[in-house]
Amino acid sequence: MKKMDSEVVKRMFVKVFGFSDVERHALNTIFRLSEDRSVAYAPWTPAIPCAAEVVLIDGQSWEAALELANPAHDALTLIWVGDNAPAKASLVIARPLQWSAVIERVDQLLAFPSLRVAPAGGAEDNVDLDRLPEAGALPGPDQDAEAHVATQPLSSKSLAANPDHPRVLMVDADPEARFYLRAKLAAAGLSQVDEAASGAEALLRLQTRVYKMVLLDLDLPDSAGWQLVKQIGRLCPSIEVLILTGSQMSRLDAVRGWFAGARGSLRKPLDPVKLMALLRHEARTAKCP
């Protein structure tokens, strides 16, 4: 169990059977998002010592009949996706899957509050899952994630950035680089920071929260860096502050970044003096009404 603001997080382990790679991708994203609330969903595996409390079965899979007959699942809350649901199913969800509706109904079934994420300041804000793509629209492992970023405005329920505490998204595949940048952001007065280790994860976060600042490393292994910059530039509401980093950053790249709307382009390894000067300047800018 991890602690969030001195609160112990309870994990509700879920056995998952069936589903396509694309649907599993979406489920894993929702599981990760739920980690920031007091009760989190987590996928169960045989290596986990705790027992599962929920079983989620894809009625279209070959596993469905086998797992439905498994006596080990008799005591679990059964959530069935698809047609021909058994009588003992506590919740039946039809396709096509709308992830916001799925999580809302599961929360209601288990008497949990709707999915919420606690920012660093401590106050909770509702996460809008309506803009998570439907199951069939999420990129699979071999698909181009950039092609799936939504460019329409966020719904009225999405998270608005607090002008006094702007939220930052930090995108870098290197965990040590993210740790370093988080420390520098905190020193610049920017404490509300989310992380993404891939382009696909970054796009999903950008679709569920409003950010004033994005720090983007162009060397992401799963994304074409400049294509990702282009997709971020199409988001609405737009990102106010975009800062680019990269191990191959050149002067020409810096000019290209400027035309793409970047406030700064820094070559790795990052110069700590230039980095702090840029972060402090943009932090002041982001906090201005």
Side-chain angles (χ1 to χ4, degrees):
M1 302 293 177
K2 73 175 183 177
K3 291 186 177 181
M4 300 280 299
D5 298 326
S6 302
E7 182 179 3
V8 176
V9 176
K10 171 182 170 56
R11 284 182 175 79
M12 177 71 66
F13 289 103
V14 181
K15 284 188 176 183
V16 180
F17 297 101
F19 300 99
S20 67
D21 290 340
V22 173
E23 290 172 328
R24 290 277 185 147
H25 183 105
L27 281 170
N28 289 334
T29 298
I30 291 170
F31 286 151
R32 287 198 302 271
L33 288 173
S34 74
E35 283 290 322
D36 290 331
R37 64 177 190 173
S38 58
V39 180
Y41 296 116
W44 183 91
T45 68
I48 294 175
C50 301
E53 299 177 61
V54 176
V55 58
L56 177 63
I57 297 179
D58 173 11
Q60 296 179 354
S61 72
W62 63 269
E63 299 173 289
L66 293 175
E67 301 306 332
L68 190 61
N70 187 344
H73 297 152
D74 289 347
L76 303 184
T77 299
L78 171 60
I79 300 174
W80 184 273
V81 174
D83 300 327
N84 302 317
K88 63 180 180 180
S90 299
L91 177 62
V92 179
I93 300 170
R95 282 189 168 90
L97 296 175
Q98 295 285 342
W99 294 111
S100 58
V102 170
I103 295 303
E104 181 179 358
R105 293 182 65 188
V106 173
D107 280 338
Q108 291 172 351
L109 172 67
L110 301 176
F112 293 157
S114 295
L115 179 61
R116 300 170 74 83
V117 171
E124 291 185 336
D125 299 297
N126 290 319
V127 169
D128 179 19
L129 292 175
D130 289 336
R131 296 183 71 252
L132 277 179
E134 295 181 10
L138 270 172
D142 299 321
Q143 292 176 293
D144 183 4
E146 290 96 39
H148 296 271
V149 62
T151 58
Q152 67 269 28
L154 293 170
S155 73
S156 60
K157 295 186 293 181
S158 60
L159 291 177
N162 186 329
D164 296 323
H165 301 283
R167 182 164 288 277
V168 180
L169 177 62
M170 176 173 50
V171 187
D172 199 305
D174 184 354
E176 292 186 5
R178 296 198 304 272
F179 181 83
Y180 175 79
L181 285 171
R182 183 178 283 276
K184 294 299 183 183
L185 287 164
L190 297 166
S191 58
Q192 297 195 62
V193 181
D194 293 336
E195 300 182 14
S198 67
E201 185 178 359
L203 292 176
L204 285 169
R205 287 194 173 275
L206 287 163
Q207 291 162 18
T208 55
R209 293 202 100 133
V210 174
Y211 294 94
K212 277 205 168 185
M213 182 184 295
V214 173
L215 277 73
L216 172 64
D217 179 50
L218 295 176
D219 301 328
L220 294 172
D222 72 327
S223 302
W226 289 108
Q227 181 64 23
L228 186 56
V229 170
K230 184 186 297 185
Q231 297 293 340
I232 290 174
R234 293 174 181 170
L235 291 171
C236 184
S238 61
I239 303 299
E240 292 187 18
V241 179
L242 174 63
I243 297 174
L244 304 177
T245 65
S247 59
Q248 304 298 320
M249 184 73 67
S250 65
R251 292 185 179 180
L252 181 60
D253 289 330
V255 173
R256 185 179 180 184
W258 184 80
F259 278 109
R263 298 284 185 88
S265 298
L266 303 175
R267 184 184 178 93
K268 287 184 173 180
L270 300 175
D271 182 315
V273 176
K274 290 182 179 179
L275 175 62
M276 282 306 303
L278 178 60
L279 291 179
R280 284 176 175 150
H281 176 267
E282 296 303 339
R284 290 192 296 269
T285 301
K287 291 179 182 180
C288 290

